[in-house]
């Protein structure tokens, strides 16, 4: 009899669970693999165990066809890294509040995926780097929290690309991306403020405020161009060391030259996490964006 109950319980919970493991899909690119689908505890034979793992997480309304995945993938594969692009469109394409409410559950599954990956491949968790845009930045944070809470392990790095503002402006650290979610957390803010899609807060150890960090970013004509500038800058910074930023109190002080002698940092892959704080820089209007 108890078996029947257990079976019914599983069916009922399964049917009503908001998020299940198969909803989230993982695709691998590197020197050997080209869009190979991986699953939790099914990692295939193509992961390069001697290379870092870069995990891309898109934002609201997006999918594996996200506008910035191609550029990030090409740049990182060129450096020899493993790139795993996540598709969470099954939930990302629901209403904004619904998607926000599911981030924690989705993060638990991505954490399971990462924990299985590092254990089966003998890769250091410190070499795992999540790059998330908008809601994907907060989803990266929830993944880091789940790795810590469920597996007692600390993710290497999160790059939060214009972390979403709506619903998060006044959130406590447990409900959003936070610097405690990985050993190293950097953010790039390009649409900060109440009328923007990005958050106006320094959530990372190192926070970059290109052109002041809010709309309208140089060269932007159409909404949501400013919000989407963060991944475009980051993609260029995967291989470029020309996004030189200065620690400063504000963009106006930066422009007045008051921070010229302050410590510098590099937006993109080569960020120095021993120099923390808020960093300002100006960019060009079109690609290549770095001024050098
Ligand atoms: C961001 O917040 C600061 C105060 O912390 C404020 O001075 C600034 O105007 C805000 N930026 C935008 C674009 O709203």
């Amino acid at each position: 009899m108890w078996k029947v109950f257990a079976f019914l319980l599983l069916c009922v919970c399964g049917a009503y669970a908001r998020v299940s493991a198969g909803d989230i899909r993982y695709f691998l690119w590197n020197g050997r693999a080209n869009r190979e689908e991986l699953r939790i505890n099914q990692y295939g034979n193509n992961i390069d165990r001697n290379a870092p793992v870069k995990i891309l997480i898109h934002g609201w309304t997006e999918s594996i066809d996200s506008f910035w995945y191609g550029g990030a993938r090409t740049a990182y594969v060129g450096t020899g890294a493993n790139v795993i692009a996540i598709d969470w469109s099954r939930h990302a394409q629901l209403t904004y509040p619904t998607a926000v409410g599911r981030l924690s559950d989705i993060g638990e599954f991505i954490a399971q995926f990462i924990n299985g990956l590092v254990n089966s491949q003998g890769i250091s968790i410190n070499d795992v780097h999540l790059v998330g845009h908008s809601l994907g930045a907060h989803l990266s944070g929830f993944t880091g929290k789940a790795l810590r809470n469920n597996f007692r392990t600390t993710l290497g790095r999160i790059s939060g690309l214009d972390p979403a503002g709506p619903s998060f402006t006044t959130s406590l650290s447990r409900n959003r991306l936070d610097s405690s979610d990985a050993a190293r957390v950097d953010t790039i803010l390009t649409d900060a403020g109440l009328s923007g899609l990005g958050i106006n807060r320094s959530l990372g150890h190192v926070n970059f405020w290109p052109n002041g960090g809010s709309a309208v970013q140089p060269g932007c004509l159409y909404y949501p161009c400013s919000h989407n500038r963060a991944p475009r800058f980051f993609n260029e910074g995967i291989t470029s060391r020309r996004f030189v930023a200065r620690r400063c109190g504000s963009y106006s002080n930066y422009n007045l030259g008051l921070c010229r002698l302050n410590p510098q940092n590099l937006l993109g892959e080569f960020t120095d996490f021993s120099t923390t704080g808020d960093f300002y820089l100006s960019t060009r209007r079109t690609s290549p964006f770095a001024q050098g």
Side-chain angles (χ1 to χ4, degrees):
M1 196 60 190
W2 66 270
K3 278 186 180 167
V4 176
F5 277 126
F7 178 74
L8 284 175
L9 201 64
L10 277 174
C11 288
V12 168
C13 294
Y16 287 93
R18 301 177 308 165
V19 180
S20 52
D23 296 352
I24 304 140
R25 301 178 68 187
Y26 310 85
F27 297 93
L28 171 70
W29 279 264
N30 61 17
R32 298 193 285 249
N34 178 25
R35 203 185 193 276
E36 177 183 340
E37 184 158 10
L38 312 179
R39 292 183 174 80
I40 294 172
N41 297 328
Q42 293 177 31
Y43 303 104
N45 299 315
N46 282 329
I47 292 177
D48 183 347
R49 300 179 175 208
N50 299 312
V53 177
K54 305 293 179 180
I55 300 183
L56 315 180
I57 310 188
H58 64 74
W60 186 52
T61 72
E62 292 215 285
S63 70
I64 194 68
D65 300 318
S66 175
F67 72 95
W68 59 277
Y69 273 11
R73 204 169 67 218
T74 306
Y76 270 133
V77 169
T79 69
N82 298 291
V83 175
I84 297 173
I86 290 189
D87 184 326
W88 64 284
S89 54
R90 193 164 290 184
H91 300 281
Q93 297 188 351
L94 302 176
T95 66
Y96 187 78
T98 304
V100 169
R102 294 183 181 182
L103 294 181
S104 168
D105 289 353
I106 299 168
E108 302 255 341
F109 285 115
I110 299 176
Q112 267 183 47
F113 175 86
I114 293 173
N115 186 60
L117 176 80
V118 296
N119 288 339
S120 68
Q121 308 296 309
I123 290 173
S124 166
I125 188 79
N126 198 44
D127 290 331
V128 178
H129 177 185
L130 270 55
V131 182
H133 175 229
S134 195
L135 270 197
H138 295 295
L139 179 49
S140 302
F142 282 107
T143 302
K145 292 179 210 305
L147 279 163
R148 177 161 286 145
N149 295 337
N150 303 347
F151 302 106
R152 305 277 160 224
T153 184
T154 304
L155 191 58
R157 179 175 172 189
I158 294 174
S159 295
L161 312 180
D162 211 34
S167 308
F168 297 97
T169 309
T170 58
S171 297
L172 301 177
S173 61
R174 65 172 180 274
N175 294 323
R176 55 158 169 83
L177 173 63
D178 184 70
S179 57
S180 59
D181 296 335
R184 304 176 294 286
V185 178
D186 53 306
T187 68
I188 301 175
L189 301 131
T190 50
D191 198 16
L194 289 179
S195 56
L197 293 173
I199 200 164
N200 184 16
R201 279 174 87 173
S202 302
L203 304 180
H205 301 106
V206 177
N207 307 284
F208 294 99
W209 301 79
N211 310 299
S214 54
V216 177
Q217 290 286 320
C220 275
L221 296 172
Y222 303 103
Y223 189 83
C225 169
S226 295
H227 185 49
N228 291 347
R229 273 293 196 257
R232 294 195 192 284
F233 294 161
F234 186 85
N235 282 357
E236 188 178 322
I238 292 171
T239 51
S240 167
R241 296 175 185 266
R242 293 167 57 85
F243 281 110
V244 180
R246 290 276 166 191
R247 187 150 75 195
C248 201
S250 71
Y251 191 50
S252 39
N253 284 355
Y254 173 86
N255 278 329
L256 288 170
L258 301 179
C259 302
R260 239 177 349 215
L261 303 178
N262 284 1
Q264 67 176 47
N265 214 325
L266 292 177
L267 177 154
E269 181 63 18
F270 305 106
T271 297
D272 171 9
F273 288 90
S274 66
T275 311
T276 58
D278 291 300
F279 294 83
Y280 288 81
L281 70 158
S282 298
T283 70
R284 298 181 67 253
R285 304 169 61 83
T286 54
S287 171
F289 293 105
Q291 288 189 335

